[in-house]
Amino acid sequence: MEIKKGIKVSPGFAISTAFVLDSEEFRIRQRFVRDDGADAEVERFEKAVVEAAKEIKLIQEQINEQAGSEYVPIFEAHLKMLKDKSMHDEVKSRILHNKFTAEYAISRVLRRFIKHFRGIDDNYFSQRFQDIQDIEKRLMRFLLGEKREALNTLRHAVVLIARDLTPSQVATLNTDHVVGLATDAGGPTSHSSIMARALGIPAVFGLETITADISGGDKVIIDGNTGMVIVSPDVDTLKRYEDLAKGYHAFEDKLKKLKNLPAKTTDGVKIRLLANIELPGELEAVKNTGAEGIGLFRSEFLYMDKQQKSREETESEIYSRIAKEMGNAPVVVRTFDLGADKFFEGVEKPLEKNPFLGQRSIRLCFDELDMFKSQLRSILRASAFGNVRVLFPMISCLEEVKRVKLILSDVMEELEEDRIPFNKNIQTGIMIEVPSAALIIDLLVKEVDFFNIGTNDLIQYTVAVDRQNERIAELYQPAHPAVLRLLKNIAKTCARFEKDVCLCGEMSATPEYVILLLGLGFRTLSATPGSLPSVKKIIRSISMKEAQAIAKKALTFDNARETVNYLMERTRKIVPETF
Ligand code: PEP
Ligand code: MG
């Protein structure tokens, strides 16, 4: 028996035999064409694009049927990339001027894009490289006449083991036959992992060597809840996992029934549950979980859509549509939280030695005022259609809030001059995700209508541990006494000033921290739609009195390990099914 640890990307258990997918590298045998062959090569390229587009449309229909319309935009983006004019111009220019074959030209152009995305020092953006890889593979298949993967011919249930999986490979999997996924590459925010979650396939990615460690036909267990893969399990382990899987399915069925029940503790304290989204297409999932609104719309995905002539128009349309669909429910739009300057194309910026402490997020927006103002215009325009609120990320001092408010009122004046309707009393909030902001919360309270607590960043900046660095992941401790003290102070101050505060970091989706957060005084939590049912289940299983006692005790430990053990043990007792 061998146990491998990877990144959990889609929850649940799968127990079956391994099917190892051969890596799908294409061999480009001929790189150049004769002078008189270039036009024919351009034609081959254009034909491949048409065929690839047809195939993507079929995948869109399939995923729409299998997982819902919220996942369709991912393939909409593939179609857009496939038809991108600058990509076409570049490929054609290489064929016509460099006399490259169509496949070599595509490979050169798309691999440059892939390299660019992979190099971005931001998990979300860096993982978009898979989408381009997907398009490259599709085009190559048409050009080189490769056969479709053996996957479609599967006749029995397997756990699929692969070096990497593209979003469309996952989207077209037959879920009757592929019951689990494990890959060498990949991470939790890639579109492939979003697809795995959408289809409900338990998955562990980022295992680095799993394709080498496993042979086809081996018995394998995928534990998507903890990110473990067990190869050739012994009899006891197998039995334990069979029982776990049975219990988990029963728990999932129970959670579905919670949708319309209130998120109330057993002694009647109402908790507001909101959803975090990244794609406008996630709206349906939000409604399906019974969330009371959108607590965090990470707008960065829209920034990628820079092909648009007018981003303001597109963004405004998207925000307005969401606002209308959500009715009176709040829709909190966070302004661009762009990681580092690397993907900030078209503007020359000096390379920074330490981008996480550099000109990122709101600091970048101050420097790119036109871009920032145009986003504020689109958010304000949408505020005419619903309960839209605006949220500013990475605030570290009072002056920044004042500056942001001045810019916002400038934009409001411009809209008034242009006679464009908007909500003049739009609620304004800031992310508290830098310790300096957390420590002056009593000063910031006077400047804004609400706070969103971003524990993902607050933890990394408090304990000085990069949230994406696997080598020091052990030191990234949500339960570090320093973090808990900051959270307690925030909750207490907000209660004193009766200020709206929502906790929207991953902590609010993590079972062992939900009770702690309630006990510390948080009454609004925002998390990914998929995690909301189990958060609600925990809330409905405990009294506020108990939660407060647990939080009080949790604050007495002098280290994170003991605190987590204590919280796990208590949560397990109260809601055993969550683990
Ligand atoms: C956070 O930092 O906790 C947060 C919610 O924002 P993001 O994960 O997008 O940085
Ligand atoms: Mg953050």
Side-chain angles (χ1 to χ4, degrees):
M1 181 168 93
E2 226 179 322
I3 299 174
K4 304 275 162 198
K5 184 93 183 89
I7 300 165
K8 50 179 182 178
V9 300
S10 179
F13 302 96
I15 306 169
S16 196
T17 45
F19 178 92
V20 184
L21 190 67
D22 289 336
S23 98
E24 201 189 356
E25 288 300 328
F26 293 94
R27 221 168 342 129
I28 300 170
R29 290 195 180 89
Q30 191 197 346
R31 296 183 169 198
F32 298 95
V33 284
R34 288 207 322 264
D35 276 2
D36 56 359
D39 288 339
E41 227 32 42
V42 169
E43 243 174 68
R44 281 182 73 226
F45 163 65
E46 284 172 341
K47 218 168 143 200
V49 168
V50 171
E51 293 302 321
K54 274 190 212 157
E55 205 173 77
I56 295 174
K57 284 199 181 117
L58 282 179
I59 296 173
Q60 272 185 317
E61 281 166 25
Q62 192 176 332
I63 197 74
N64 189 25
E65 251 169 51
Q66 275 194 293
S69 62
E70 63 265 39
Y71 300 99
V72 170
I74 291 178
F75 294 99
E76 206 69 63
H78 281 207
L79 275 178
K80 233 185 226 172
M81 285 190 234
L82 184 71
K83 291 177 180 167
D84 181 81
K85 187 172 174 315
S86 59
M87 187 272 275
H88 279 229
D89 289 348
E90 231 182 292
V91 171
K92 284 181 197 170
S93 152
R94 282 174 192 244
I95 296 174
L96 294 170
H97 299 120
N98 303 56
K99 307 294 173 217
F100 286 175
T101 58
E103 40 274 54
Y104 188 48
I106 291 167
S107 160
R108 287 292 291 262
V109 173
L110 293 189
R111 280 182 190 211
R112 197 169 51 75
F113 289 153
I114 290 169
K115 206 167 148 199
H116 169 74
F117 271 91
R118 278 192 122 140
I120 292 171
D121 195 7
D122 176 294
N123 210 17
Y124 178 80
F125 283 93
S126 65
Q127 292 193 18
R128 295 290 82 82
F129 80 88
Q130 277 188 335
D131 294 290
I132 304 173
Q133 224 164 31
D134 201 337
I135 291 164
E136 186 197 2
K137 283 184 180 179
R138 193 177 304 287
L139 287 170
M140 288 298 170
R141 230 182 21 242
F142 283 111
L143 287 167
L144 296 167
E146 296 283 333
K147 286 194 198 76
R148 313 209 79 212
E149 301 90 44
L151 280 180
N152 295 347
T153 60
L154 284 174
R155 291 287 168 266
H156 58 275
V158 294
V159 164
L160 181 63
I161 312 290
R163 213 192 59 69
D164 202 357
L165 288 169
T166 62
S168 60
Q169 275 177 314
V170 181
T172 50
L173 290 174
N174 180 340
T175 47
D176 288 338
H177 295 142
V178 179
V179 296
L181 303 174
T183 63
D184 292 340
T189 50
S190 66
H191 277 149
S192 306
S193 59
I194 292 175
M195 282 295 142
R197 287 195 287 276
L199 293 171
I201 309 176
V204 179
F205 288 178
L207 288 145
E208 292 179 359
T209 56
I210 194 74
T211 44
D213 300 332
I214 258 182
S215 308
D218 281 352
K219 186 108 191 155
V220 60
I221 297 172
I222 302 287
D223 180 347
N225 291 11
T226 63
M228 274 197 307
V229 172
I230 299 151
V231 187
S232 310
D234 58 34
V235 179
D236 289 348
T237 311
L238 191 60
K239 170 85 180 69
R240 191 159 56 81
Y241 269 97
E242 279 167 353
D243 291 346
L244 274 173
K246 235 185 260 163
Y248 186 78
H249 291 315
F251 181 53
E252 273 190 317
D253 288 343
K254 249 201 245 165
L255 288 183
K256 283 191 194 126
K257 296 187 185 116
L258 287 176
K259 183 190 154 196
N260 296 318
L261 296 175
K264 248 186 204 169
T265 57
T266 54
D267 49 356
V269 180
K270 169 86 181 61
I271 305 298
R272 205 158 183 226
L273 285 186
L274 306 173
N276 290 351
I277 62 166
E278 295 183 20
L279 298 165
E282 286 177 274
L283 218 54
E284 219 164 290
V286 173
K287 290 181 188 160
N288 287 341
T289 55
E292 292 181 55
I294 292 166
L296 173 67
F297 180 11
R298 293 178 164 106
S299 64
E300 293 81 63
F301 189 76
L302 305 181
Y303 175 79
M304 283 181 70
D305 214 355
K306 41 187 164 303
Q307 302 301 332
Q308 301 294 336
K309 275 200 201 80
S310 160
R311 200 188 285 129
E312 182 184 323
E313 284 303 318
T314 323
E315 273 187 69
S316 167
E317 264 168 40
I318 292 171
Y319 302 144
S320 304
R321 183 162 52 85
I322 296 178
K324 283 180 204 162
E325 285 201 33
M326 293 302 290
N328 284 332
V331 176
V332 177
V333 181
R334 183 176 74 184
T335 58
F336 292 139
D337 186 24
L338 297 170
D341 57 343
K342 292 187 199 72
F343 48 85
F344 206 61
E345 281 177 1
V347 182
E348 282 300 318
K349 296 252 173 210
L351 212 61
E352 295 181 323
K353 276 197 180 152
N354 204 339
F356 276 92
L357 302 180
Q359 198 183 45
R360 62 170 293 206
S361 198
I362 197 73
R363 303 166 185 178
L364 189 65
C365 286
F366 287 147
D367 207 47
E368 291 301 326
L369 211 51
D370 286 345
M371 173 196 82
F372 189 38
K373 279 186 157 180
S374 124
Q375 188 183 30
L376 291 177
R377 274 176 76 94
S378 48
I379 297 172
L380 283 168
R381 284 169 61 178
S383 71
F385 301 103
N387 188 357
V388 173
R389 302 175 181 189
V390 60
L391 172 70
F392 300 100
M394 266 289 282
I395 295 291
S396 61
C397 61
L398 189 70
E399 293 88 322
E400 277 173 343
V401 187
K402 292 194 171 164
R403 193 165 167 194
V404 137
K405 283 169 67 183
L406 272 180
I407 297 171
L408 186 67
S409 63
D410 269 1
V411 177
M412 284 183 170
E413 260 176 42
E414 285 171 23
L415 284 176
E416 267 178 354
E417 274 168 24
D418 297 345
R419 297 181 182 282
I420 296 174
F422 66 95
N423 174 11
K424 295 187 179 74
N425 299 315
I426 188 168
Q427 297 247 311
T428 310
I430 55 173
M431 289 287 293
I432 300 292
E433 50 187 344
V434 179
S436 61
L439 290 164
I440 57 162
I441 194 101
D442 57 321
L443 306 178
L444 297 169
V445 94
K446 302 178 189 93
E447 298 293 332
V448 292
D449 300 304
F450 68 94
F451 295 118
N452 263 31
I453 314 303
T455 44
N456 305 341
D457 277 312
L458 186 61
I459 298 163
Q460 86 163 338
Y461 289 125
T462 302
V463 295
V465 174
D466 176 353
R467 69 195 242 197
Q468 297 176 68
N469 188 337
E470 286 138 25
R471 281 188 292 172
I472 46 170
E474 257 174 57
L475 291 173
Y476 184 87
Q477 297 171 332
H480 191 296
V483 175
L484 300 196
R485 286 179 197 188
L486 282 177
L487 292 179
K488 184 185 165 195
N489 179 45
I490 292 169
K492 221 170 101 186
T493 311
C494 289
R496 177 152 61 94
F497 288 95
E498 293 181 7
K499 189 62 64 179
D500 248 7
V501 58
C502 164
L503 200 135
C504 64
E506 275 305 300
M507 266 180 106
S508 51
T510 314
E512 58 269 35
Y513 298 128
V514 172
I515 296 175
L516 169 81
L517 295 175
L518 302 184
L520 286 176
F522 291 97
R523 297 292 174 264
T524 307
L525 304 178
S526 193
T528 49
S531 58
L532 288 176
S534 59
V535 175
K536 193 189 268 187
K537 168 83 186 152
I538 297 171
I539 294 167
R540 291 177 56 83
S541 309
I542 187 157
S543 73
M544 188 50 76
K545 219 169 142 211
E546 260 177 296
Q548 281 163 345
I550 291 173
K552 198 170 169 200
K553 171 90 178 162
L555 281 159
T556 63
F557 297 102
D558 61 8
N559 65 83
R561 194 178 43 80
E562 275 182 67
T563 317
V564 174
N565 286 345
Y566 167 71
L567 291 172
M568 287 258 223
E569 182 231 321
R570 292 311 312 254
T571 313
R572 191 175 281 127
K573 255 197 196 130
I574 294 159
V575 215
E577 311 98 295
T578 352
F579 289 96

